[in-house]
Structure formats: C-alpha cells, structure tokens
Amino acid sequence: MSTAESILSMEHLASLCKRRGFIFQSSEIYGGINGFWDYGPLGCELKRNIRDAWWQDMVRDREDVVGLDCSIIMHPRIWEASGHVGGFTDPMIDCRGCKKRFRADQLFEELGLKPAESTKVEEKFKVPEGTKCPACGSKELTEPRAFNLMFKTFVGPLQDESSVAYLRPETSQGIFAQFGNVLATSRQKVPFGIAQIGKAFRNEINPRNYTFRSREFEQMELEFFIKPGTDQEWHNYWVAERIKWYQSIGLPKESITQYVYDKAELAHYASACVDIMYAFPFGIQELEGIAARGNFDLSRHQEFSGKSMEYFNQETNEKFIPHVVEPSAGVDRIALALLCNAYHEEWIPKDGPAIPAEPGKQPPEGFEARTVMRFAPRVAPIKVAVFPLLKNKPELVDKSRALFNTLRRHWPCFYDQTGAIGRRYRRQDEIGTPFCVTVDFDTLQDNTVTLRERDSMKQIRIPIDQLETELLARMG
Ligand code: ATP
C-alpha cells in the first residue's frame, strides 16, 4: 500500500499525534504560538531514536567522523562571515487589507504567477497590478521586501547594537568556527567529518504543514572536510549513503526522491547540491540537503577572524583550506515523514489479512477497524508491550512484571493490564509498538508466552528463555 493510499489526511494524523502524546501545540493552554511544537512522551522517544540512529551511523560507526556540541548563541561575527546577517532573507509580501504576510515564492505559486527573471527581489516577485490577496480578495498587496529570518536577541544587560546576538539559524557554522580546535584535538586527517545535532531557529514568514516548517527545529549536520578536487566523488558518496540511511529507518525506497540542483540554482560557491525529498501527503518536500560547498565557509571565517583555517598534510607537504560536503537534515521533518509513512487505517476480518480502510466509511459487517503505526522497530517509541492475560490473577501479574522488568533493561517497554487483550493490542498498534508479549495460564505451566507481531498480527508461542534472542533478531 503506498503512502498516498494509506494516509487519510493530515488531520487524522495530527489528531492521533495529540491523542496519543506524540506532538502537542506549544503553549496550547494560551492558545498556542505559531511555528512552535512540543513533543509528548512518545514523540520525544521517536525523536530520540532518530537522533540516536543518525549519531550511531554517522559518528560512532565511523572512524572518520567526530562529534561536536556548540552553543546556540555564538559571536555575531560568525553570522556576518557566513553571510546570514546580510543575506539570510526571504522575500515577503504583505496584504494591507487583511494584514496577512506571505512568502513571495509561496504567494506566486498559490496565485499561479511566474517570478520574473531577475536577481533583484523587487523585480523578481513584483505582483502584477490588480492582483488579489488570496486570503481577503483585496488588491492591496505590497511590494516584495527582504526579511531576515534570524531571531535577534541581546547578550548582557545593555540592549543596544553592541550587544546584539542571534539564535543560530543552522548548526553548521559552529562546526566551521571550531574546525581548528577539533582538528588539533581529534587526531583526524582530511578527509574527515564533524557532526552536530542541535536546535536551530528561523523566523519563518509562513510556518505551515504541521511541524514541517517550524520556527524552532532541530538539525543533524555533518561537515565532511575533503581535499580540493575530490568534491564530486565525496558528494556522490554522501548522497548514496544518506539515501541508504533513510531506508534503514523504515522509509520505503519509492517514497524518497532526489532533487538535483542545476548550475543556475546553485549558490556561487557550491559545485553540487542534491535535496533528499519525501512524498508527504501535502507534496514532495525536502528532508535533507546535501551540498558541496567548496571552501567558502572556512575561507570566510579565516578572513573574518584572522585565524588560519588551513590544513597541512605532513605526508605530502601540501597546505590547503579543505573543501566541504555538507549533508544537513532536520529531525522534525524526519519525524513527520516517519509518522506519515507509519500511519495506516485498516479493516480487519475475523480471519485473513487486513484491507485498507475506505476514508470516512465504517467497516463492513464482520470487519473491525484498526489504526496502526507501522514504525520500523529501530525508530518505534516503545518496542515491546507486556500483558498479563488477567489483572486479578496475582500469579500472572507477578510473572508479567518480572518479564517486563527484564525486557526493559534492553528496550523501551510498556506494561498494560487493563481491558480486554484485544483492546490492549489495538492501543499498542496505534502507537506503533512492534511486539506484544502476553503471559497466560499456560505460561505458569510450561514457561512459554505469546509473542504477537504488530503488522501481520501473527502470534507464536515461545519459551521465555528464548524471548530476548527472538526479539533481538526481529528488531532488525
Ligand atoms: P526549505 O527550503 O524547506 O526552507 P532549506 O533549504 O532552507 O529548507 P536548509 O537550510 O538546507 O533548509 O536546512 C537543512 C535542513 O534543516 C532541511 O533539509 C530541513 O530538514 C531542516 N529545516 C530547515 N528549515 C526548517 C524549518 N523551518 N522547520 C523544520 N526543519 C527545517
């Protein structure tokens, strides 16, 4: 079943996310704040699993990548050197009628207008005379204006230009600024990478599509430093690696595509850029950008700080400013893609395989509806649920709790003794728990339990002493 068939709507998903504790609106009790989201008990486990999978595969499993954790607020010169103070802008257009603010490119798309061939924002996104605001219909749309996306703040008690600082709009600049220190302390040699996971902030003009475009989000970025001239081969390497990684966390091959930038779309310093795209229900959108950025960033920091960013290769006696390939991914967008991909509504007959539910309809006679989140075990918030068949039988409860306590040493587990066993299975299906283990009266006789798999709903009987090995094999 493809994503498009299985997803009934983003509203269904958002409602499940709220109901089951994946995602809440930030500051909801005060009416929320646009572009900010909180992750509930299951959502933060999901995000943690994404970060852990990335860190394991990009840092711990590799000898040529090391980690870094920089502060969010850094010296403001960093953002001058990176070009963000002068150029990190989105053109925006306001409606004087309803006061709504649009991102110029999105407004043009919505109105079916084609931007003019110009590098000047005012010319490129000039709205034709008489164009109506899509929100209120008035013809009072402003000229496009550049809007800096960085959040500004002040450091220390004085609030003037001398104390201005910014919340970082990306994590990568901290990596460039600490390149020298990491090189000196890590015993790495080019080619090698520095990886960082952390919060980034952008005052997006139009946050939308649920958590997809937020004002506070988390990035996972790798700066992979290479010898000049090897850019293309390393860029190809990282694109292929990163596509494999998305499959390793359960996104099907067919849902992932690449958007390859043509020469005209590239930043002047970049030699290649590929966006990894996922087919969200609201369109095919970027999960990660992988750019070959030349030595732009290190050169700029060398120029602005006066500190050398050169690398000296002792074996060949060569000195150069390394080039960089940057795979830059968003944790929140990956979490959203995993949620969209996992979400399925099904009708289950008494016997036989489930069929996809028809949107807005009740299941036919003899079928039962179930919502199931088909997370890959690697990212599932809870991996195993343990149930006693009956809650008022102390022998069953004691045995189940003992098993639960053993299993939770290895995996996030959940213990549930309330309601009919079928209801308990459904509750776990809805949060994507891949395995449920039930302790019943036979367990007390022969030390076996029922192991039930979420997607096939198949159950097997297995000795308790083989359970951990079996679960480990099935976790993938
Ligand atoms: P977009 O074109 O969607 O605004 P971008 O090209 O500006 O994204 P990058 O600057 O390349 O994004 O950032 C790298 C990654 O950080 C993106 O691929 C995305 O996963 C994540 N990201 C960027 N902006 C946001 C945002 N506003 N909300 C959530 N994630 C974001």
Side-chain angles (χ1 to χ4, degrees):
M1 201 180 348
S2 79
T3 308
E5 282 164 347
S6 60
I7 296 269
L8 303 182
S9 73
M10 284 305 283
E11 282 89 82
H12 281 78
L13 178 66
S15 140
L16 178 134
C17 285
K18 174 157 188 215
R19 196 171 68 243
R20 300 312 310 267
F22 282 95
I23 300 173
F24 307 126
Q25 204 183 7
S26 166
S27 328
E28 193 192 275
I29 57 168
Y30 292 101
I33 169 166
N34 197 8
F36 297 88
W37 299 92
D38 293 340
Y39 289 81
L42 294 176
C44 65
E45 290 289 345
L46 175 66
K47 268 180 74 173
R48 180 176 291 270
N49 293 341
I50 296 168
R51 283 190 225 110
D52 287 351
W54 190 88
W55 198 258
Q56 184 64 38
D57 295 350
M58 301 291 278
V59 185
R60 294 201 169 150
D61 271 2
R62 303 185 62 105
E63 286 183 69
D64 58 356
V65 177
V66 290
L68 184 68
D69 191 358
C70 296
S71 59
I72 285 172
I73 293 178
M74 295 182 279
H75 197 290
R77 288 279 283 167
I78 288 198
W79 306 112
E80 287 171 32
S82 68
H84 283 81
V85 170
F88 190 54
T89 54
D90 269 349
M92 61 173 197
I93 293 171
D94 289 314
C95 171
R96 288 198 192 89
C98 65
K99 308 279 179 250
K100 203 163 172 213
R101 175 162 287 178
F102 302 93
R103 225 172 84 172
D105 57 337
Q106 291 172 356
L107 181 70
F108 268 56
E109 201 182 305
E110 195 169 341
L111 295 172
L113 297 170
K114 209 170 162 292
E117 297 275 330
S118 171
T119 49
K120 289 198 186 123
V121 158
E122 317 81 64
E123 290 167 6
K124 189 170 178 184
F125 292 110
K126 189 172 172 47
V127 274
E129 196 83 12
T131 304
K132 284 188 187 162
C133 165
C136 72
S138 95
K139 294 181 187 165
E140 293 184 274
L141 293 168
T142 64
E143 296 285 300
R145 280 186 293 141
F147 172 77
N148 196 298
L149 299 184
M150 280 199 297
F151 280 98
K152 223 179 194 179
T153 186
F154 300 95
V155 173
L158 283 180
Q159 300 209 345
D160 60 17
E161 276 310 300
S162 70
S163 62
V164 164
Y166 302 95
L167 302 193
R168 65 181 178 200
E170 58 181 37
T171 60
S172 54
Q173 293 304 323
I175 299 181
F176 295 123
Q178 290 294 2
F179 170 74
N181 278 332
V182 176
L183 185 64
T185 53
S186 66
R187 303 175 60 100
Q188 288 287 343
K189 292 198 174 100
V190 168
F192 81 101
I194 306 177
Q196 173 162 225
I197 299 180
K199 289 267 187 175
F201 304 81
R202 295 183 189 178
N203 197 3
E204 298 280 359
I205 295 166
N206 192 5
R208 59 181 186 170
N209 289 331
Y210 199 22
T211 57
F212 179 83
R213 187 173 300 287
S214 309
R215 290 182 165 135
E216 174 176 340
F217 55 95
E218 220 171 331
Q219 288 186 315
M220 305 188 290
E221 295 195 294
L222 169 70
E223 300 304 328
F224 198 76
F225 299 101
I226 55 173
K227 195 174 159 199
T230 60
D231 308 50
Q232 195 57 55
E233 84 193 57
W234 278 111
H235 187 257
N236 292 346
Y237 168 84
W238 279 111
V239 171
E241 281 296 297
R242 296 300 304 142
I243 285 179
K244 269 193 269 165
W245 187 80
Y246 283 101
Q247 284 159 38
S248 82
I249 58 165
L251 293 180
K253 209 171 177 183
E254 60 278 8
S255 67
I256 299 286
T257 47
Q258 296 178 40
Y259 178 84
V260 182
Y261 285 57
D262 64 34
K263 279 263 165 326
E265 290 174 295
L266 289 174
H268 65 90
Y269 47 79
S271 60
C273 188
V274 167
D275 285 346
I276 299 183
M277 317 287 281
Y278 173 76
F280 285 98
F282 46 81
I284 296 177
Q285 299 282 346
E286 174 184 334
L287 287 180
E288 166 163 353
I290 305 170
R293 299 175 59 87
N295 65 9
F296 175 76
D297 305 273
L298 287 182
S299 308
R300 292 278 290 188
H301 286 299
Q302 175 166 295
E303 182 190 334
F304 277 65
S305 68
K307 303 279 179 334
S308 170
M309 295 289 168
E310 279 181 325
Y311 172 78
F312 179 62
N313 184 335
Q314 284 171 331
E315 279 146 36
T316 59
N317 260 344
E318 284 173 294
K319 218 178 195 189
F320 54 84
I321 298 181
H323 282 199
V324 75
V325 172
E326 176 192 80
S328 167
V331 180
D332 310 77
R333 285 194 187 171
I334 297 172
L336 186 59
L338 290 174
L339 285 162
C340 289
N341 183 67
Y343 186 92
H344 289 79
E345 290 193 2
E346 297 177 345
W347 290 338
I348 319 169
K350 288 235 151 44
D351 305 294
I355 57 168
E358 285 179 41
K361 292 206 180 137
Q362 290 300 319
E365 192 64 36
F367 284 74
E368 191 200 334
R370 85 159 174 166
T371 302
V372 54
M373 295 299 280
R374 293 206 176 128
F375 294 121
R378 192 174 191 202
V379 293
I382 307 281
K383 316 278 187 219
V384 189
V386 181
F387 313 143
L389 184 64
L390 298 170
K391 70 171 177 198
N392 51 4
K393 295 283 173 211
E395 324 84 276
L396 297 182
V397 169
D398 291 349
K399 190 99 186 159
S400 314
R401 289 218 54 101
L403 182 58
F404 168 64
N405 285 330
T406 310
L407 295 178
R408 72 205 280 217
R409 291 206 303 262
H410 308 289
W411 300 287
C413 294
F414 192 85
Y415 175 81
D416 188 5
Q417 60 178 28
T418 45
I421 205 80
R423 296 259 324 264
R424 283 183 255 168
Y425 283 145
R426 290 290 167 274
R427 284 203 287 263
Q428 294 305 315
D429 290 343
E430 220 188 11
I431 62 168
T433 306
F435 306 107
C436 294
V437 177
T438 304
V439 170
D440 58 20
F441 292 105
D442 287 344
T443 314
L444 304 178
Q445 304 301 323
D446 61 8
N447 232 15
T448 62
V449 285
T450 301
L451 174 62
R452 183 250 195 198
E453 197 268 332
R454 176 197 65 206
D455 296 343
S456 62
M457 294 177 287
K458 288 218 169 84
Q459 304 186 4
I460 60 162
R461 202 72 202 171
I462 177 167
I464 287 190
D465 58 10
Q466 289 172 22
L467 188 60
E468 276 181 43
T469 319
E470 179 68 24
L471 284 169
L472 197 61
R474 290 184 182 218
M475 291 288 173

